[in-house]
Amino acid sequence: MSKPVYLAVYNTLADWEPGHATAQLARAGYEIRTVGPTREPVTTVGGLRIQPDLALDDVRPSDASLLILTGADLWDAGDELAPFARTARAFLDAGTPVAAICGATAGLAREGLLDDRDHTSAVSFYLAATGYGGGERYVEADAVTDRGLVTAGPTEPVAFAREILRLLKVYDDEAVDAWYRLFHDSDAEAYAVLEKAGVL
């Protein structure tokens, strides 16, 4: 039985960013557990109210398969979400993967987690504004995985999910590629590959 996937949730969370990943992981048998700053409800940028399953202080890397950090307005509005970046450091140090998209990449940059890993984000100058030391490791790509850390920009939730599915070895490479082609490119031929693999 796989360990749960932790989805970080906080006020102004970008609703559209984790959905492809969490839905496919849940279909593959992973339990998705939401982690808030506390157990108090949070509200996404789309107005959805989420009651966290866990408070951040109760989270341990050894209990999870993955930590997902999504974008949120709060990443660029102060240090309120910095504890989530520190938790990401603890996860990576423990060998538990982390996936960060959109503004969460800036949070990880401020924490120093992108200084020595290949990574991407919305645009290079967005991360450069954090003053981080990893500018030479920035990659112009839809999503990047390096040493247990997935990064992606806000317009790439499907590529973000693709990298997570690969990282956790949820499906073989052929099925992951077909899944990406179906949901990113609307490639109808990919459907047959996924049906044969039992993914859909």
Side-chain angles (χ1 to χ4, degrees):
M1 186 73 165
S2 299
K3 296 177 182 178
V5 168
Y6 287 163
L7 171 65
V9 296
Y10 22 71
N11 289 321
T12 72
L13 177 152
D15 307 62
W16 61 92
E17 292 174 349
H20 284 286
T22 55
Q24 206 60 49
L25 289 169
R27 282 186 168 184
Y30 284 86
E31 178 188 7
I32 309 299
R33 304 204 71 198
T34 54
V35 179
T38 67
R39 292 285 308 279
E40 292 299 311
V42 299
T43 304
T44 71
V45 74
L48 299 180
R49 186 177 162 94
I50 299 173
Q51 174 74 58
D53 297 313
L54 298 165
L56 188 60
D57 286 346
D58 298 327
V59 166
R60 303 288 175 267
S62 60
D63 296 336
S65 293
L66 173 74
L67 172 65
I68 299 176
L69 300 172
T70 70
D73 295 343
L74 289 179
W75 283 111
D76 298 318
D79 295 328
E80 187 174 337
L81 298 185
F84 284 92
R86 290 194 292 273
T87 298
R89 176 181 291 283
F91 269 61
L92 291 169
D93 287 348
T96 303
V98 173
I101 185 170
C102 188
T105 61
L108 298 192
R110 292 184 193 98
E111 183 64 20
L113 294 174
L114 305 184
D115 289 354
D116 62 352
R117 285 180 171 86
D118 290 344
H119 60 275
T120 194
S121 183
V123 286
S124 60
F125 56 81
Y126 170 65
L127 291 186
T130 68
Y132 84 128
E136 292 184 358
R137 302 295 296 266
Y138 188 89
V139 180
E140 293 288 351
D142 54 10
V144 173
T145 301
D146 188 1
R147 293 174 24 240
L149 177 62
V150 174
T151 52
T155 61
E156 298 294 345
V158 181
F160 184 59
R162 178 197 66 208
E163 294 301 299
I164 290 170
L165 296 175
R166 281 181 180 161
L167 182 65
L168 295 183
K169 297 179 170 46
V170 176
Y171 309 119
D172 65 27
D173 288 344
E174 182 183 18
V176 171
D177 289 344
W179 181 88
Y180 179 77
R181 293 199 321 272
L182 178 63
F183 286 96
H184 187 266
D185 303 327
S186 300
D187 181 353
E189 293 181 7
Y191 187 89
V193 177
L194 295 174
E195 196 172 41
K196 182 179 179 182
V199 174
L200 296 179

